[in-house]
Amino acid sequence: MKQFLFVTTLCASTAFAQELKIEQAQKIFDLPTHCITIEYPNKLGNVLGSDADLKTPKQLRPIFYGCFDWHSSVHGFWSIVKLMKDFPELDKNGEVRQQLNALITAENVAIEKAFFEDKNNRNFERTYGWAWLLQLQMELNNWQDADAQRWAKNLQPLSDLIVEKYKSYLPKLVYPIRTGTHDNTAFGLSLAIDYARSVNDQTFEQSIIENANRLYLKDKECNIGFEPSGSDFLSACLEEALLMSKIHSHQEYKKWLKAFLPQLFDQKHELKPGIVSDRTDGQLVHLDGLNFSRATTLYQIANKLPELNYLISWADHHLNYSFNNISNDDYMGSHWLGTFALYALKTKREIESAKQLQEHVNASIQKFLK
């Protein structure tokens, strides 16, 4: 029977994989592959300690110098790796693979790492960029590909440094940062705990759990009606709700969420997508990202609490509202929005696949028992 169930599960996993459409994948893939080697315009964001620090983006960060800023470059690499893994045909001639081979070298990682060790830039990209780097590391670790495994090995020293920075920083954070932009604490912890679990770093995982509970467990009545602000790409309320879903049991989480976001238990509550008035404005276009990140959180909350399955339609509405706006028309959106769309689509696909797989396995068990 065990052998039967194993084969059934394996076949079901393949049969029910909810792949992105190739057209969607190509649309997203084209965005970061276009910009990872585009050095300018560039928002450096670093602190200068002396004239010696006046260097070009590529000199300072020989891997993640493109896509306008460091964090967008990092999550652009994540998008590329994720899509190459799922859709090898997107890189038919191997040009993108050659680019990654040239960029993710041990020598380049050492320079990137040295930048984070500089006394003036120890807090650089805390914690938004940190979290995306760990997502990239996790994606590389999980790709059974010779090049990817080499890239993962090369990148690991920088990821290890980021983990140590997290462990040092979290106990000192007296209050969470609740913005709808890069500094949001819950977003950074939510991605980080996925990495900690993927590498079985129980010390890091426990640090995240303990500090998340310290910072958020007593929160009540988050005012989601005040969202969004004019340049949000994250929902402070929903990012916190997502993080807590990852560290509590079903019943514990349901009780906490009812006190924190009772609106989610009202099927008639209206959560409207963010409206973008000018997609050439780098701040205003953030609201397309808000729609994608809201979709991601709503999919995962509905997965944690199946009784709130109507949240899936809320998520679909947000995702569909902004997806057709992704294009290469203006760099202010094109250098980063593809990642947020991909992450939402990935989340939706994984949840649908898991549900269909479970239904198939349950049916197979019942059939076998008869």
Side-chain angles (χ1 to χ4, degrees):
M1 180 175 178
K2 287 182 180 179
Q3 185 177 15
F4 168 78
L5 288 177
F6 172 77
V7 173
T8 300
T9 302
L10 185 62
C11 293
S13 179
T14 302
F16 287 122
Q18 297 292 312
E19 296 294 346
L20 299 175
K21 294 178 181 178
I22 186 64
E23 296 82 6
Q24 292 176 319
Q26 185 71 64
K27 183 176 183 178
I28 296 172
F29 189 70
D30 288 345
L31 300 178
T33 54
H34 167 72
C35 73
I36 59 169
T37 55
I38 300 295
E39 192 169 4
Y40 298 102
N42 200 296
K43 184 179 180 181
L44 285 173
N46 57 300
V47 176
L48 301 176
S50 70
D51 289 353
D53 294 332
L54 290 169
K55 298 177 181 178
T56 67
K58 192 173 182 178
Q59 289 172 323
L60 288 168
R61 304 152 197 171
I63 304 174
F64 306 117
Y65 63 85
C67 296
F68 189 70
D69 49 33
W70 193 85
H71 53 257
S72 297
S73 180
V74 171
H75 67 60
F77 273 75
W78 173 82
S79 295
I80 290 169
V81 169
K82 176 64 180 170
L83 289 170
M84 282 178 62
K85 182 164 65 171
D86 291 348
F87 296 91
E89 63 269 33
L90 292 175
D91 187 34
K92 291 179 182 177
N93 56 15
E95 286 185 7
V96 177
R97 184 177 288 267
Q98 289 177 12
Q99 281 186 318
L100 299 189
N101 271 325
L103 291 168
I104 311 177
T105 65
E107 294 77 13
N108 284 348
V109 171
I111 297 172
E112 295 265 358
K113 183 171 178 283
F115 180 83
F116 277 89
E117 293 171 328
D118 174 69
K119 66 179 182 179
N120 294 306
N121 292 288
R122 289 171 182 164
N123 300 333
F124 181 69
E125 290 286 354
R126 187 177 73 187
T127 58
Y128 182 75
W130 296 4
W132 277 117
L133 184 82
L134 297 184
Q135 283 289 301
L136 173 59
Q137 183 72 58
M138 182 169 68
E139 204 65 51
L140 290 172
N141 290 347
N142 295 334
W143 188 7
Q144 299 308 309
D145 173 272
D147 286 333
Q149 290 301 299
R150 184 175 64 259
W151 302 332
K153 182 179 179 181
N154 289 343
L155 192 62
Q156 193 66 60
L158 179 56
S159 297
D160 290 343
L161 176 63
I162 293 302
V163 169
E164 292 308 310
K165 285 180 175 291
Y166 260 111
K167 291 177 180 177
S168 173
Y169 169 62
L170 290 179
K172 296 185 287 188
L173 184 64
V174 179
Y175 312 104
I177 301 171
R178 304 180 189 273
T179 64
T181 53
H182 308 83
D183 292 333
N184 184 279
T185 302
F187 179 86
L189 294 184
S190 186
L191 294 190
I193 199 168
D194 292 344
Y195 172 78
R197 288 168 173 166
S198 75
V199 296
N200 196 30
D201 187 337
Q202 296 179 12
T203 302
F204 187 27
E205 178 188 9
Q206 194 58 36
S207 175
I208 294 170
I209 292 172
E210 289 176 359
N211 284 286
N213 280 327
R214 175 178 61 83
L215 295 170
Y216 298 118
L217 191 58
K218 295 180 180 179
D219 286 357
K220 298 181 186 299
E221 298 181 358
C222 191
N223 194 348
I224 199 169
F226 270 15
E227 297 181 7
S229 294
S231 60
D232 283 356
F233 62 87
L234 300 171
S235 163
C237 292
L238 290 174
E239 292 299 337
E240 180 176 339
L242 173 58
L243 171 62
M244 297 301 275
S245 77
K246 295 182 178 183
I247 65 176
H248 286 284
S249 68
H250 178 279
Q251 287 304 317
E252 290 172 340
Y253 179 62
K254 185 175 182 179
K255 180 180 178 181
W256 178 87
L257 189 63
K258 277 188 173 181
F260 179 68
L261 265 180
Q263 299 93 326
L264 297 189
F265 292 83
D266 178 5
Q267 192 167 351
K268 295 180 180 179
H269 179 75
E270 189 174 12
L271 187 65
K272 296 180 180 179
I275 299 171
V276 180
S277 61
D278 181 359
R279 289 191 167 81
T280 67
D281 186 304
Q283 293 294 309
L284 298 179
V285 77
H286 276 182
L287 290 159
D288 275 329
L290 172 78
N291 294 333
F292 295 137
S293 64
R294 274 185 176 178
T296 298
T297 59
L298 291 167
Y299 286 135
Q300 294 194 57
I301 293 169
N303 187 53
K304 181 73 173 186
L305 299 178
E307 55 268 45
L308 303 185
N309 65 346
Y310 51 83
L311 296 182
I312 294 173
S313 65
W314 297 12
D316 288 342
H317 182 47
H318 278 74
L319 176 59
N320 295 334
Y321 186 90
S322 283
F323 188 80
N324 289 334
N325 297 323
I326 298 175
S327 71
N328 264 322
D329 291 347
D330 193 273
Y331 199 55
M332 287 299 98
S334 67
H335 78 270
W336 69 280
L337 277 173
T339 295
F340 274 65
L342 176 61
Y343 205 83
L345 288 165
K346 174 191 83 77
T347 302
K348 178 179 173 67
R349 180 188 67 180
E350 290 173 350
I351 290 171
E352 288 176 345
S353 296
K355 286 182 178 178
Q356 291 179 335
L357 173 59
Q358 188 60 55
E359 290 172 0
H360 183 81
V361 170
N362 290 343
S364 298
I365 292 173
Q366 291 301 317
K367 184 177 180 180
F368 182 83
L369 292 175
K370 288 179 180 179

